Amino acid sequence: MMELGGKKVGKIARNIGGNGVGQILVAVAVAFFVRLFSGPGPALLPANEFDDENNDHDDVIDDESSVDGKVFPVTIRWSNITCSLSDKKSKSVRFLLKDVSGEAKSGRLLAIMGPSGSGKTTLLNVLAGQLAASPRLSLSGFLEINGQRKSKKFFKQEDLFFSQMTVRETISLAAELQLPQISSAGARDEYVNDLLCKLGLVSCADSIVGDAKVRGISGGEKKRLSVACELIASPSVIFADEPTTGLDAFQAEKVMETLSQLAQDGHTVICSIHQPRGSIYYKFDDIVLLTEGSLVYAGTARDEPLSYFAKLGYPCPDHVNPAEFLADLISIDYSTSESINSSQKRINGLVETFSRQTASVIYATPLINEDKFTKGMKFGGNNFAKRGGWWREFRLLLRRAWMQASRDGPTNKVRTRMSIASAIIFGSVFWRMGTSQTSIQDRMGLLQVAAINTAMAALTKTVGVFPKERAIVDRERAKGSYSLGPYLLSKLLAEIPVGAAFPLLFGGILYPMARLHPTFSR
C-alpha cells in the first residue's frame, strides 16, 4: 500500500471523475488514505537533512516495566559509531559521524553540543533508532542498552495536539488511553494534577492548546505539555532534539529545568542543544562535544570540560559563558583563509588528543550484522500499554473528536459563510426555474454543481485537517494507545452532526430560490 505510485493515484482520480482542481483534491485524498491505512512507519529523515537543526522533536524509549509509574533504570553506551552518506553523482562520501563513543546513564542529563552541521541530530537519531534505511547511508559501530542486547521500542514525539482541547483535557485523555488500569476518576485526576504541578502547567491547565487560527498556550508551555503526555507511562529514556529552539531565554530555562528534574527523578535524558545560556549549561550532568561529526570531548559536564581544555592550552576567560567558549573553540572560522586553516588545525588537534585518551574497546552490541536488533529499534510498537478494549477506546476517541469538531469556531464560521454565499450565488443563477421540458437541462446542471460544491467543501476541510491529525494518530498508535478502527469510526460519527449542518443550510437557502419542486415532503 505504501508504494502506490503517482500514476495509480491519478488513474483512481480520473475514474472517480472531474478534472482540474477536483481531480487534484481527489488524488490528494486517495493518497492520504492509502498512507493512513498503511499504519505508522519509520520516522523518515531526508537524506540531506540528517542534521537539520530546526528538526525539533522529542523521542522516548518506553519500557515494559515502567507502565506502573516507576522509572526503570536504563544505561545506554555506544562505541565507534560511524555514519556516512554517499553521493552517486559525484561519487563522494560525506561522513556525518566519525568514530563517536559515549555513555548516557540513568538519573543524569546528557547534552550533545556542537556547531551547526556537527552531527548532533544524527547521533541522537542513531541512538533512538530514527535513521531511515537508505542505500546511500552506511552505519556501523556498537550499541549497548543495560549491558545486553534488548530491543526497545521508540516513537517520535512532536509538539502537535488537538487544538480545541485544554491542557488538562489533553493530559487526562492521554492518561485514560495509556493507563486503563487507573479506573477511578479521582485517582486519575490526582495523577493529572500531579503532572501539571510537576511540569509547571497549572496556570494554563484550563486554556486551550490553540493553533495558527486560535491563540492558545505559548511555545514553552506546549513543549512542556509534550513532555507531560510522554511521562504518563513513565518512560525510561527521553531524547530531546533542540528542545529550546524558538523559545526566549526564560522559557528555554524552564524547559531545561523540567528535563533536569526528570533526570533527577531517575530518567535517562539525552538532548541536543545549540549554544545554551550559562545557567542552562550548569544543569547538564554529562556532555558530548561534536564538530564535523568527530568527538572532541565526552564526559562530566560543568567545570570538567573547562579544566580539560585549559590543560591543552585553551583556558576559558573569566566572566564568559562556558557554552559560548566551547562553541567558539570547536567551530571553524570561515571569515578568511588564514582563520579557516588555523581553526581547522586546532580542531584536528583536539579530536586527535581526545581519541588517544578514549578507551580502545567497549564491549557492546554491534549495530552491524544485527538486523533483528536494528529493526526492533525502528519507529513503531504494538503494545506499550495494556489497552482497555475496543469500546472503551471508541468512547474516549468519540468524546475527543466531538470536542474538537464542535469547538472549532473559526472553521465552522468560515464554512457557514461559504455555504450561505454558495447557496445565494447558485440560487441567483438558477432563479425560480420552471417545470417545462426546456428547464430539465437547467435542473440537471444545478443538481450536478450543487453535489460537486458540497463534496468539494467537505473534502477541502478533510484535506486540511487530516495531515495534522495523522501525525498525532501515528504517535499515539505507536504507543499502543488505540487501534485504527475506533479512531476512524469515532471521527466519522463526530463529524456527521457538524458536517451535515452545512449542506442542510446550503439546501435550505437554495431549494426555495431555485424552486426545486416546492413541497415539504420533497
Side-chain angles (χ1 to χ4, degrees):
M1 297 284 288
M2 288 286 289
E3 300 300 325
L4 184 65
K7 292 183 179 179
K8 291 185 178 180
V9 171
K11 185 176 180 181
I12 294 174
R14 288 193 296 272
N15 290 338
I16 291 175
N19 52 35
V21 177
Q23 263 190 19
I24 294 173
L25 291 175
V26 172
V28 170
V30 171
F32 168 73
F33 278 104
V34 168
R35 289 287 304 279
L36 180 64
F37 279 103
S38 65
L44 299 180
L45 286 174
N48 59 347
E49 293 180 5
F50 283 116
D51 196 27
D52 185 0
E53 301 300 331
N54 295 321
N55 183 19
D56 301 328
H57 63 272
D58 300 337
D59 297 284
V60 180
I61 302 181
D62 203 353
D63 190 273
E64 292 81 356
S65 303
S66 63
V67 177
D68 59 357
K70 298 180 181 179
V71 180
F72 183 84
V74 170
T75 297
I76 302 177
R77 182 182 297 173
W78 59 97
S79 175
N80 307 117
I81 300 289
T82 299
C83 182
S84 61
L85 191 64
S86 60
D87 190 346
K88 293 183 180 179
K89 293 182 179 179
S90 60
K91 296 182 180 180
S92 61
V93 177
R94 176 192 172 198
F95 282 90
L96 306 176
L97 294 173
K98 305 173 187 175
D99 200 29
V100 178
S101 302
E103 185 178 38
K105 299 178 182 178
S106 175
R108 297 179 69 84
L109 173 58
L110 170 66
I112 304 174
M113 291 179 56
S116 298
S118 61
K120 301 188 298 296
T121 302
T122 303
L123 177 60
L124 201 68
N125 281 283
V126 168
L127 299 180
Q130 292 285 317
L131 277 186
S134 170
R136 300 174 54 202
L137 185 69
S138 176
L139 178 64
S140 63
F142 298 88
L143 181 64
E144 179 184 83
I145 300 177
N146 277 355
Q148 59 182 345
R149 184 182 69 187
K150 184 176 182 181
S151 295
K152 297 288 176 180
K153 298 179 178 66
F154 301 77
F155 56 88
K156 183 176 179 179
Q157 169 64 30
E158 298 179 353
D159 301 329
L160 293 175
F161 304 96
F162 287 90
S163 59
Q164 302 303 319
M165 297 181 64
T166 65
V167 172
R168 188 186 302 275
E169 289 171 343
T170 300
I171 299 177
S172 180
L173 188 68
E176 288 188 77
L177 287 170
Q178 296 184 49
L179 301 175
Q181 61 268 33
I182 304 180
S183 56
S184 170
R188 186 168 53 251
D189 291 341
E190 182 179 353
Y191 184 79
V192 171
N193 290 332
D194 181 62
L195 268 179
L196 291 171
C197 294
K198 188 175 183 180
L199 294 170
L201 295 171
V202 176
S203 60
C204 63
D206 297 316
S207 303
I208 64 171
V209 176
D211 55 12
K213 295 181 293 184
V214 180
R215 182 173 177 81
I217 59 178
S218 66
E221 291 167 338
K222 192 171 291 187
K223 287 183 181 290
R224 279 179 276 159
L225 174 60
S226 177
V227 174
C229 290
E230 306 313 331
L231 287 180
I232 288 173
S234 191
S236 298
V237 182
I238 300 174
F239 291 89
D241 187 8
E242 298 283 358
T244 60
T245 299
L247 303 180
D248 58 66
F250 177 79
Q251 291 292 345
E253 184 164 10
K254 288 298 180 183
V255 170
M256 294 309 300
E257 277 183 8
T258 300
L259 294 178
S260 178
Q261 184 61 49
L262 293 175
Q264 294 175 23
D265 293 341
H267 300 268
T268 303
V269 184
I270 307 174
C271 70
S272 64
I273 194 164
H274 188 77
Q275 196 171 343
R277 59 187 288 186
S279 57
I280 293 179
Y281 172 81
Y282 282 101
K283 297 182 188 300
F284 303 147
D285 298 305
D286 300 305
I287 190 172
V288 171
L289 292 178
L290 292 174
T291 179
E292 295 186 318
S294 299
L295 189 62
V296 180
Y297 175 86
T300 308
R302 297 171 185 146
D303 294 330
E304 290 297 323
L306 305 182
S307 301
Y308 169 77
F309 288 114
K311 293 177 182 178
L312 299 178
Y314 301 102
C316 178
D318 296 334
H319 311 296
V320 173
N321 180 0
E324 294 181 1
F325 164 73
L326 295 175
D328 293 341
L329 184 63
I330 61 177
S331 298
I332 297 178
D333 184 2
Y334 289 98
S335 56
T336 62
S337 58
E338 292 80 5
S339 62
I340 293 176
N341 294 331
S342 61
S343 56
Q344 187 69 65
K345 185 178 179 180
R346 180 184 68 243
I347 291 173
N348 292 339
L350 293 174
V351 171
E352 184 178 354
T353 301
F354 188 78
S355 64
R356 289 199 300 264
Q357 299 181 8
T358 306
S360 58
V361 178
I362 298 180
Y363 296 98
T365 303
L367 281 174
I368 55 176
N369 299 326
E370 290 290 348
D371 294 336
K372 292 183 179 180
F373 178 62
T374 305
K375 290 178 181 178
M377 293 175 59
K378 286 184 180 178
F379 171 55
N382 294 323
N383 291 300
F384 277 76
K386 298 178 181 178
R387 295 207 292 254
W390 198 94
W391 287 106
R392 182 178 182 276
E393 296 171 13
F394 170 73
R395 176 176 55 83
L396 294 174
L397 294 173
L398 180 62
R399 187 178 73 188
R400 181 177 72 177
W402 172 249
M403 285 191 292
Q404 178 69 16
S406 60
R407 294 178 182 177
D408 195 0
T411 301
N412 293 335
K413 289 179 181 178
V414 171
R415 295 180 70 185
T416 300
R417 293 168 185 165
M418 289 178 60
S419 298
I420 295 175
S422 300
I424 294 175
I425 292 173
F426 291 155
S428 301
V429 173
F430 297 94
W431 176 258
R432 294 195 173 273
M433 292 182 295
T435 56
S436 63
Q437 184 70 23
T438 56
S439 65
I440 291 179
Q441 189 172 358
D442 292 340
R443 290 176 180 270
M444 291 293 292
L446 175 59
L447 293 177
Q448 182 180 9
V449 296
I452 294 175
N453 176 75
T454 303
M456 288 299 105
L459 184 60
T460 302
K461 199 257 183 182
T462 302
V463 170
V465 170
F466 263 67
K468 288 183 180 180
E469 290 197 10
R470 184 181 186 274
I472 303 174
V473 172
D474 278 354
R475 180 185 72 202
E476 293 175 336
R477 288 182 61 211
K479 290 183 278 187
S481 299
Y482 51 82
S483 55
L484 186 60
Y487 166 74
L488 288 177
L489 184 59
S490 64
K491 185 69 177 175
L492 177 64
L493 293 181
E495 291 286 350
I496 284 177
V498 178
F502 304 108
L504 288 175
L505 178 62
F506 174 80
I509 298 174
L510 176 63
Y511 206 93
M513 291 182 67
R515 201 162 61 182
L516 291 170
H517 211 297
T519 60
F520 183 76
S521 61
R522 293 281 182 170

